[in-house]
Amino acid sequence: MSELEVIKLALGDKVSNIAWDLDGWVIRLKGSNLTNLKISRRLVGISFDWEWHFVTPLIIHEEVDEAGLHLYREMKRREVQIKRRGMLRYSYEWVTGELLTKVFPEITPESDLLVLLNRDGTLHRLLRRSSIDELYVNTYFELGVASLSDEALRKYYESPTMVGWLITAIKGPGSEWRFGAIVKRIYELLDYLAGKLLNFSRELESRLALL
Amino acid sequence: MSAQAPSVIRGLTARSILIGAILVIVAQAIGDMTWLYTSKTGTINAFWLPFIYIVLLNELIGRTNPRLRLTAQELVCIFPALALVNSIKYYPKGALSGGEALSGYIEKTIVSVGAGMNDPTTGEYWRMMTPPWMFPKDPSMIAAWQTGLTPGQQILWGEFLPPIIYWSLYTILMYYLALFLGFGVWGRRWVDVERLIFPLSIPMIYMIRNASDIDPATNKSRWFRLQEPTLRVFWVAFFIGLIASLIPVFGEIVPPLAVFGAFAWGEQPILIFGLPSIMPGAMAKGVFQVDQVALWLLLPNNLLITAVLAYVVFGLLYQWIGVISGALPYNPGMEFLWNWEDIPANWFPFPYRHVGILGMMVGLGIITLITLRSRFVELARALRGRSEDEYGLSTRSIAWFGLIVTIAILALFTASGVPFIIALAMVVFAYIYWTALARVTATMWWHVDDFANNGGVGTYIFPLGVALGYWPATVPTTGTTNFGLFATGILTIPFNNTWTLRVNGFGPGAAVTYYKIARETGTNVRDALVAATTIIAIGVVFGYVWRIWLLNHAGGLANSNAWAWTAGMKFGNFIGGTAYVPIGATDWVPGLTYGLVGIIIVAVVWFLRSRFAWFFIDPTSLTMSMAVGLIWTWLSGLVALIIKVVLIRTIGVRRFESYVIPLAAGISLGFGAPILLAGLIEFFAVVLPRFSAQFVP
């Protein structure tokens, strides 16, 4: 069974359409908090091990007005990622995003999203179940070669074209022979996380509107 | 590592040529003397100077006078001098294996033939059949080969001149064919396109690149900057490696523990004594190698898992179930034998080692060559004028080099008496088998097994001669008088692969590993090739002359460690009788059948692996494991896998990725560093006294 067929089987009736894009499969989803999910396989450094990247954008507004810009910058203060502990069985903790502190040292992080996620028992259960290696929740930015640089990130922060989140989950080496189960579990994790983030973003937007 | 590679820089300078030429002569002179008169035949048996000391010496000289410091590329160009003398085991840690280096070729050519002529049983036959270009016909020289010159007697150099020229040519052509394939056919694709890992090259690349990173302000190498985390990891790992070298010190140097039979600085057999009582017949032996474990941390999990799984399926379950069900006979102690001994891997009904050697290796070689077909087209075009510059090496030059070497081998074999079609078959099998050897080495390690004397000749080459009417199907046990068969039998070993070739310092795997080192250190590839070919030419000719002088002047075969027994190995391979595999076979049909099974297995596994992401069994790892009878792969694979999983789970994949190369390089280099001390002690305490005691002026 090919990689693609395993993905189709794992996601079942959630799949609306699948297409190849540059370096991975882009899966358009239905009946889900996620609109689409990109699954790509990348080499880990010198070793020929593969790691799997699951990337999904979560768009809140497709156009950016002044309120949207404000929302985007407030969301930026809330970028988070997981910190993994343990050896045989992992435990997870949400912490402030590394990208935020490194690329935007002048921005003061806000901890409300982080606290919310850390208190969510279901989310922790899904994290442990997927045994994910890395998970990042960043504000949306355009993907592309240039956007990987710090400067491009700052540029996008100055004038974003869309407001939303970009969730990146990474599953490290040793996943090939249980790839189907991994895809399913990571999808469930991302779907649940996306739901939480959507609710949080709407609530944040309302709070900002009241100010 | 590719991303950090500097641009191509010249390494072939007047001083690097001079140093390389002097070094190869000094190294072979001391190394071959050590080989012949050492008491540690498995460990201190060549020139005992790990390359790290050359690099450290270079730093010391450079600090005194920066203009005298050799560049990274010059270091790469003198490296062949020591690799040639010390085998592939020199690459990761500086270990020695004279029998798997230039001295090994000398053993299996002129020494072997001279030993045959002195054999008490078959000597008369050898003296009748051996032509004067293989060994002198003069009885006094034949006798001196066995026991050394008598006082007042002189070497008849005129008698030795044709054998020196003949065997030098044979040996140089083997080296050059490996260099052509490594530099011209395999290297570019495997480095740039397939990005194979080349574990054996990692310590050398890491050491040379860091040692040559000079701070202009202080004129010191940045290699020693402990403030930098990765370099700190390297030096901590280096000391861990030093401590781990207690394993070979106690396992190979100090007599009480040497009973476990370790050799080659850290190839330590581990016996699982309790296993036979639980699973009678199951393989209870594995070789543990510190540097192999360290460098295998770089391998993908699926390669390691494949190596372990192959052991579980064939070494444990197959052998155990076979014994308890009665399908395999039980010989007490069979669980602890080596792969070349009487073990189920070499028995009916499923001789998995022969399936590996005769089938999977052949299949792997064919498949790999098929994947490289466009490279041959490129080289063919280059011959007609469409040349490209590949990191300093023109494709036209390397294509002509390969063509000339191939034709020269065919001409030499044919002129030696081998029927042309047979010579062609020998070359074709060399291309196939050497390709598989190199692929295994570039992907994992040097552990594979010998083709020629494990059924390869009997299964593929001998029957071809029978079918074409060159010789009869049955060979008299007193020795064939068919000169075509005699010449073929003599020349297939080591050309069609014995350990001397596969683990040689410039055998197939090593040649392509050297290419990788040249590429990753930014060395002009043409310079690396010219340096290697020059050093090889000098080293080989000197090696033969020196060996003739040594044996004649200091005791001969009878009073040295020379491999007189290799004459028997050649005699057993169709010169003086027929030998087939697996054990018990009476003709070549079982070998051919199991060979076919192996080819099918590797083709299916290759297809599944390339087609399906979930199919994790790796064809190269499986081939290597089976072809080497599992003993050399599973234990190091298991330990590396456990360490890797634990490290990734504790420090995370990103930090693992940052530190794994300095960690592996440090452990390997530290592990091999004490060889110098052990070598010095052995040379002055044993080798020189033994030589002087037997010296006849």
Side-chain angles (χ1 to χ4, degrees):
Chain A
M1 201 184 293
S2 73
E3 219 169 84
L4 178 62
E5 282 157 344
V6 173
I7 293 169
K8 278 183 185 168
L9 203 66
L11 298 181
D13 59 3
K14 300 285 176 198
V15 177
S16 159
N17 178 40
I18 296 187
W20 178 260
D21 175 45
L22 287 174
D23 59 349
W25 298 104
V26 176
I27 302 135
R28 191 165 286 281
L29 296 154
K30 56 185 180 188
S32 166
N33 288 316
L34 310 176
T35 315
N36 57 56
L37 173 66
K38 181 167 181 176
I39 303 179
S40 56
R41 193 167 66 141
R42 298 189 189 171
L43 280 176
V44 180
I46 181 170
S47 148
F48 252 46
D49 279 314
W50 296 102
E51 61 181 18
W52 295 89
H53 287 226
F54 298 77
V55 182
T56 182
L58 208 59
I59 303 302
I60 314 287
H61 295 299
E62 292 198 353
E63 284 178 1
V64 185
D65 54 13
E66 201 168 319
L69 183 65
H70 191 198
L71 175 62
Y72 183 84
R73 290 184 177 166
E74 280 300 317
M75 284 164 65
K76 174 64 84 179
R77 297 176 64 199
R78 290 158 172 86
E79 287 189 348
V80 290
Q81 69 183 66
I82 54 161
K83 190 174 175 183
R84 200 193 66 185
R85 290 201 183 86
M87 257 179 60
L88 296 175
R89 193 165 162 77
Y90 297 140
S91 66
Y92 294 91
E93 185 192 355
W94 288 93
V95 295
T96 301
E98 212 175 86
L99 211 59
L100 175 65
T101 50
K102 280 191 178 163
V103 183
F104 302 93
E106 72 280 9
I107 296 178
T108 314
E110 181 60 62
S111 64
D112 50 359
L113 176 60
L114 191 151
V115 170
L116 178 80
L117 297 178
N118 271 327
R119 283 182 183 159
D120 192 322
T122 310
L123 185 58
H124 277 279
R125 186 180 59 76
L126 289 170
L127 279 167
R128 279 195 300 273
R129 194 162 169 265
S130 65
S131 67
I132 198 87
D133 292 298
E134 294 172 32
L135 180 55
Y136 303 92
V137 177
N138 297 111
T139 45
Y140 181 80
F141 55 88
E142 293 291 345
L143 287 174
V145 179
S147 66
L148 292 174
S149 71
D150 295 358
E151 201 185 323
L153 280 173
R154 294 189 75 88
K155 216 169 180 180
Y156 196 86
Y157 175 73
E158 292 304 323
S159 49
T161 52
M162 279 195 269
V163 178
W165 298 103
L166 190 68
I167 311 173
T168 307
I170 300 174
K171 179 70 188 160
S175 319
E176 287 85 353
W177 56 92
R178 44 196 185 101
F179 184 55
I182 284 168
V183 168
K184 193 166 189 291
R185 287 170 186 188
I186 290 178
Y187 166 75
E188 285 166 2
L189 166 70
L190 295 182
D191 186 43
Y192 182 81
L193 178 63
K196 296 289 290 184
L197 289 172
L198 284 172
N199 288 339
F200 175 81
S201 307
R202 283 185 201 120
E203 190 258 334
L204 177 66
E205 194 172 15
S206 323
R207 267 196 279 150
L208 293 174
L210 291 175
L211 291 175
Chain B
M1 289 175 83
S2 302
Q4 299 165 17
S7 55
V8 171
I9 299 170
R10 298 297 305 269
L12 203 64
T13 57
R15 62 184 185 177
S16 69
I17 295 169
L18 195 64
I19 293 170
I22 294 169
L23 199 55
V24 73
I25 289 171
V26 172
Q28 181 63 18
I30 297 175
D32 206 42
M33 188 186 277
T34 306
W35 164 257
L36 285 178
Y37 303 107
T38 180
S39 62
K40 306 276 182 244
T41 50
T43 302
I44 308 298
N45 55 19
F47 185 54
W48 22 260
L49 181 69
F51 205 72
I52 190 170
Y53 295 105
I54 303 274
V55 176
L56 290 172
L57 182 66
N58 188 44
E59 172 65 13
L60 275 178
I61 293 170
R63 286 189 186 188
T64 320
N65 184 345
R67 282 182 305 172
L68 295 178
R69 179 187 266 124
L70 296 173
T71 63
Q73 293 70 31
E74 286 175 313
L75 286 170
V76 169
C77 285
I78 66 168
F79 178 74
L82 294 171
L84 181 74
V85 173
N86 288 322
S87 93
I88 201 169
K89 295 173 184 178
Y90 191 74
Y91 282 71
K93 59 180 168 180
L96 328 172
S97 190
E100 294 163 329
L102 173 55
S103 292
Y105 277 155
I106 296 170
E107 293 293 348
K108 288 182 181 167
T109 52
I110 193 166
V111 171
S112 167
V113 176
M117 294 167 91
N118 278 294
D119 189 276
T121 317
T122 58
E124 198 179 326
Y125 164 77
W126 280 93
R127 287 192 291 276
M128 177 185 74
M129 293 298 291
T130 303
W133 64 82
M134 287 189 184
F135 200 86
K137 290 294 219 182
D138 187 283
S140 67
M141 285 296 95
I142 296 170
W145 198 247
Q146 181 67 15
T147 50
L149 296 173
T150 52
Q153 192 184 3
Q154 287 189 326
I155 300 173
L156 302 178
W157 283 109
E159 285 270 325
F160 272 108
L161 192 60
I164 289 171
I165 295 169
Y166 179 75
W167 289 121
S168 293
L169 196 57
Y170 173 80
T171 306
I172 287 170
L173 286 173
M174 271 194 294
Y175 279 127
Y176 284 5
L177 182 60
L179 280 172
F180 159 65
L181 292 168
F183 278 63
V185 179
W186 310 318
R188 177 86 199 269
R189 293 299 167 90
W190 291 356
V191 172
D192 289 339
V193 182
E194 292 196 51
R195 289 182 55 211
L196 298 186
I197 297 165
F198 293 89
L200 300 175
S201 70
I202 301 293
M204 179 76 180
I205 293 169
Y206 187 85
M207 174 171 67
I208 286 193
R209 276 171 45 169
N210 282 289
S212 305
D213 183 7
I214 309 299
D215 183 346
T218 60
N219 182 37
K220 288 180 182 172
S221 166
R222 292 195 175 94
W223 194 22
F224 305 99
R225 274 177 34 152
L226 295 180
Q227 308 91 296
E228 202 176 304
T230 53
L231 290 174
R232 198 162 54 237
V233 167
F234 171 83
W235 286 110
V236 169
F238 182 86
F239 283 102
I240 293 172
L242 267 183
I243 295 164
S245 71
L246 288 173
I247 297 171
V249 167
F250 286 115
E252 299 169 51
I253 305 293
V254 180
L257 291 177
V259 289
F260 287 104
F263 51 86
W265 201 264
E267 297 188 3
Q268 177 68 57
I270 303 289
L271 308 179
I272 311 166
F273 291 110
L275 191 62
S277 59
I278 305 163
M279 299 173 77
M283 182 182 288
K285 183 175 192 166
V287 174
F288 178 78
Q289 239 180 293
V290 171
D291 52 320
Q292 186 180 356
V293 170
L295 290 165
W296 276 19
L297 293 176
L298 298 163
L299 299 191
N301 285 348
N302 70 304
L303 265 76
L304 301 173
I305 291 170
T306 301
V308 176
L309 209 58
Y311 166 69
V312 171
V313 172
F314 296 105
L316 288 181
L317 297 177
Y318 167 71
Q319 294 191 189
W320 173 53
I321 293 168
V323 164
I324 58 171
S325 65
L328 294 170
Y330 182 72
N331 299 338
M334 64 189 269
E335 298 91 346
F336 304 112
L337 298 178
W338 287 106
N339 44 313
W340 55 82
E341 294 179 312
D342 195 18
I343 63 170
N346 304 319
W347 297 349
F348 289 106
F350 190 69
Y352 57 84
R353 178 167 165 256
H354 294 300
V355 169
I357 295 169
L358 299 179
M360 295 179 71
M361 282 292 283
V362 172
L364 186 69
I366 292 170
I367 292 168
T368 308
L369 284 173
I370 290 171
T371 65
L372 289 166
R373 62 192 182 279
S374 60
R375 181 63 181 167
F376 284 101
V377 173
E378 277 172 24
L379 293 176
R381 279 189 191 140
L383 281 176
R384 296 199 304 268
R386 288 179 56 183
S387 181
E388 279 179 32
D389 184 288
E390 292 181 345
Y391 305 94
L393 179 67
S394 89
T395 48
R396 186 188 303 151
S397 312
I398 194 71
W400 274 111
F401 179 67
L403 188 66
I404 291 167
V405 166
T406 306
I407 291 171
I409 291 173
L410 285 171
L412 182 76
F413 286 4
T414 311
S416 302
V418 178
F420 179 74
I421 302 293
I422 299 297
L424 197 62
M426 285 166 68
V427 171
V428 168
F429 271 101
Y431 266 69
I432 292 171
Y433 212 83
W434 291 22
T435 299
L437 287 172
R439 186 166 186 97
V440 168
T441 309
T443 309
M444 299 183 80
W445 207 251
W446 62 66
H447 295 317
V448 264
D449 222 320
D450 307 342
F451 180 75
N453 58 334
N454 278 309
V457 176
T459 302
Y460 294 110
I461 294 171
F462 179 75
L464 184 64
V466 174
L468 294 171
Y470 294 137
W471 44 69
T474 308
V475 179
T477 52
T478 50
T480 180
T481 51
N482 181 315
F483 191 75
L485 182 56
F486 177 81
T488 305
I490 294 292
L491 296 178
T492 48
I493 293 174
F495 181 77
N496 285 109
N497 179 38
T498 64
W499 64 94
T500 302
L501 179 136
R502 74 179 150 79
V503 204
N504 207 289
F506 272 93
V512 77
T513 303
Y514 180 60
Y515 174 86
K516 168 76 173 175
I517 290 171
R519 286 289 310 281
E520 293 292 342
T521 50
T523 308
N524 180 304
V525 172
R526 189 188 67 94
D527 282 6
L529 180 66
V530 172
T533 49
T534 310
I535 286 170
I536 285 166
I538 295 169
V540 168
V541 176
F542 172 77
Y544 277 101
V545 173
W546 179 241
R547 173 57 72 89
I548 291 165
W549 188 90
L550 274 177
L551 277 182
N552 277 287
H553 281 280
L557 301 176
N559 302 298
S560 66
N561 303 320
W563 282 352
W565 53 266
T566 52
M569 193 171 80
K570 289 202 187 227
F571 194 77
N573 270 278
F574 301 97
I575 294 174
T578 45
Y580 301 105
V581 293
I583 292 170
T586 52
D587 60 27
W588 56 75
V589 175
L592 267 180
T593 310
Y594 287 117
L596 187 65
V597 168
I599 292 171
I600 292 169
I601 289 175
V602 80
V604 169
V605 172
W606 184 289
F607 170 77
L608 292 174
R609 176 74 188 139
S610 53
R611 177 76 180 82
F612 304 118
W614 55 264
F615 189 83
F616 64 92
I617 303 290
D618 180 84
T620 309
S621 179
L622 186 65
T623 300
M624 174 182 177
S625 299
M626 289 178 67
V628 79
L630 308 169
I631 290 170
W632 299 85
T633 52
W634 75 268
L635 186 56
S636 292
L638 180 63
V639 176
L641 187 64
I642 291 169
I643 294 173
K644 188 179 166 191
V645 168
V646 169
L647 277 177
I648 289 182
R649 282 178 167 258
T650 41
I651 65 173
V653 72
R654 301 284 162 252
R655 283 167 75 195
F656 176 79
E657 198 184 332
S658 312
Y659 294 132
V660 68
I661 291 177
L663 179 77
I667 289 176
S668 300
L669 292 169
F671 186 64
I675 289 171
L676 175 66
L677 191 63
L680 279 170
I681 294 170
E682 179 71 11
F683 187 74
F684 287 104
V686 178
V687 174
L688 267 184
R690 277 185 73 185
F691 169 77
S692 349
Q694 298 181 107
F695 181 68
V696 174

